Amino acid sequence: MLRALLWYARAEFLVRKGSCAFHTAPSHAKDGACQAVTQGSGEQYLSAFALLLQAGPFQLCVLSALPQLIGTGAQLASVKLLQWFPDRKARIFAGTVGQAFVWIPIVLLPLAFPEWGP
């Protein structure tokens, strides 16, 4: 935490100083804060939600490994997508909307399978 705060303070200083390399530093800090909120409010509770739906040990293992695997695959695919979709804001918006829509089936799982629910 202290390292992140020191990096952010250094980046703010360099932005105010006029260095071109760190003009996006405040947006990186906002992105990190949003990712922390996403992880803290959603991803941390997926295992507990799976236990509520009576998931077994194998399902819990897959559930804990799948987000990292998908994230790594998305990073590798993003390099190729740069060629076809050069607009960065559109890619970020599409990824954000896609990530939000992925939560809909997760939330609807207890309604789709009530025999597995609480």
Side-chain angles (χ1 to χ4, degrees), residues 24-112:
T24 59
S27 62
H28 287 293
K30 291 175 190 174
D31 180 48
C34 290
Q35 177 61 29
V37 168
T38 300
Q39 189 172 7
S41 64
E43 292 177 13
Q44 293 293 329
Y45 297 105
L46 281 178
S47 297
F49 186 63
L51 287 173
L52 179 72
L53 295 175
Q54 302 172 4
F58 178 73
Q59 287 93 358
L60 287 173
C61 291
V62 169
L63 184 64
S64 65
L66 205 57
Q68 285 89 14
L69 182 65
I70 291 173
T72 303
Q75 286 179 348
L76 292 172
S78 69
V79 175
K80 295 293 182 187
L81 288 174
L82 285 173
Q83 299 169 357
W84 295 317
F85 304 106
D87 187 20
R88 188 174 78 179
K89 285 187 179 183
R91 281 193 324 269
I92 292 172
F93 182 74
T96 304
V97 169
Q99 186 177 11
F101 279 128
V102 165
W103 282 99
I104 293 172
I106 294 172
V107 171
L108 294 178
L109 272 174
L111 299 175

